[in-house]
Amino acid sequence: MKSLHLSITAGNLRSRKVHYYQLSSLRPTKTYVRELIFNVCRVENYFNVLDLFAGSGILSAESISRGAKSAHLVESDRSICNKISEEFNKLNIRNYEIHNKDVLKFLANESTNDYHMIYIDPPYNKQIIKEVYNLLAAKKFTKNNKYLYFEHSKQIEDASLLDLISVDYKIIKNLSIGGVSYTIAEKREK
């Protein structure tokens, strides 16, 4: 299997590379989008990150490089999980856990729900962001959350998803580049 790489854009691991398998199901978040996310979302040293549909693991690597306390990555493909662990070990990243599980099953059974940044980036052929968000809210994952990021195919954009999220979050960025939509939301102060 061919391996490609991404460079971490900032922090103590800046310019270090994360390798990932070239698979049609993997679409790592592009460099300029990661820079946008982290220009908008200020990572604090107490942040716990939840990376759903982790793929290459680059969003968690960026978060840790920028000072996040820990990252929990959820990915259903065992070979991808093994590759993430291999890459994080090479980078001497130790403050992470990887969960080789289906995201919906993980959320339904997980008792730790104190995550400050949550990334949702399912395969584009899966229209499950709304289902994932509803489960996050029902299981109180959004209670102490500060930022929410999700990415999906522009073709399946669902205005009701933004309406649903806007109840508890302020949409900071919602843009489309090519066939992909990117949304960054910040939890509203109560």
Side-chain angles (χ1 to χ4, degrees), residues 135-146:
L135 193 51
L136 284 166
K139 297 285 286 186
K140 309 264 189 265
F141 283 84
T142 58
K143 182 180 178 189
N144 295 320
N145 180 245
K146 177 129 174 111

Side-chain angles (χ1 to χ4, degrees), residues 31-190:
T31 301
Y32 57 87
V33 175
R34 284 183 277 128
E35 289 174 342
L36 173 68
I37 292 167
F38 293 105
N39 284 338
V40 170
C41 304
R42 182 185 158 121
V43 176
E44 302 288 346
N45 62 1
Y46 62 88
F47 274 20
N48 296 310
V49 172
L50 180 60
D51 191 350
L52 303 174
F53 309 97
S56 67
I58 192 64
L59 290 173
S60 289
E62 286 276 6
S63 298
I64 290 170
S65 178
R66 294 165 185 262
K69 179 180 172 184
S70 70
H72 286 237
L73 300 88
V74 183
E75 173 57 54
S76 62
D77 185 310
R78 181 171 298 285
S79 66
I80 293 173
C81 289
N82 292 339
K83 185 65 171 171
I84 292 170
S85 292
E86 176 186 316
E87 292 302 306
F88 279 28
N89 287 335
K90 284 182 193 173
L91 294 169
N92 202 29
I93 295 173
R94 301 282 181 247
N95 49 337
Y96 78 98
E97 286 184 36
I98 190 152
H99 305 272
N100 180 211
K101 294 182 178 178
D102 172 84
V103 165
L104 296 175
K105 288 179 183 171
F106 171 84
L107 293 175
N109 296 312
E110 180 64 15
S111 59
T112 302
N113 58 14
D114 192 22
Y115 297 103
H116 304 93
M117 295 185 82
I118 299 174
Y119 305 116
I120 309 168
D121 184 10
Y124 288 171
N125 62 347
K126 290 190 175 187
Q127 299 181 25
I128 64 169
I129 292 179
K130 194 183 291 186
E131 185 177 359
V132 168
Y133 179 77
N134 284 331
L135 193 51
L136 284 166
K139 297 285 286 186
K140 309 264 189 265
F141 283 84
T142 58
K143 182 180 178 189
N144 295 320
N145 180 245
K146 177 129 174 111
Y147 297 109
L148 183 69
Y149 168 78
F150 57 95
E151 184 174 318
H152 58 91
S153 171
K154 188 177 171 182
Q155 294 173 336
I156 61 168
E157 191 163 316
D158 184 351
S160 66
L161 174 63
L162 292 180
D163 291 340
L164 176 66
I165 290 170
S166 293
V167 171
D168 293 316
Y169 289 85
K170 179 175 103 179
I171 306 298
I172 300 171
K173 292 280 183 191
N174 184 38
L175 59 124
S176 294
I177 302 170
V180 183
S181 291
Y182 307 92
T183 304
I184 304 168
E186 182 175 12
K187 187 78 179 274
R188 294 183 190 279
E189 296 288 327
K190 296 268 178 170

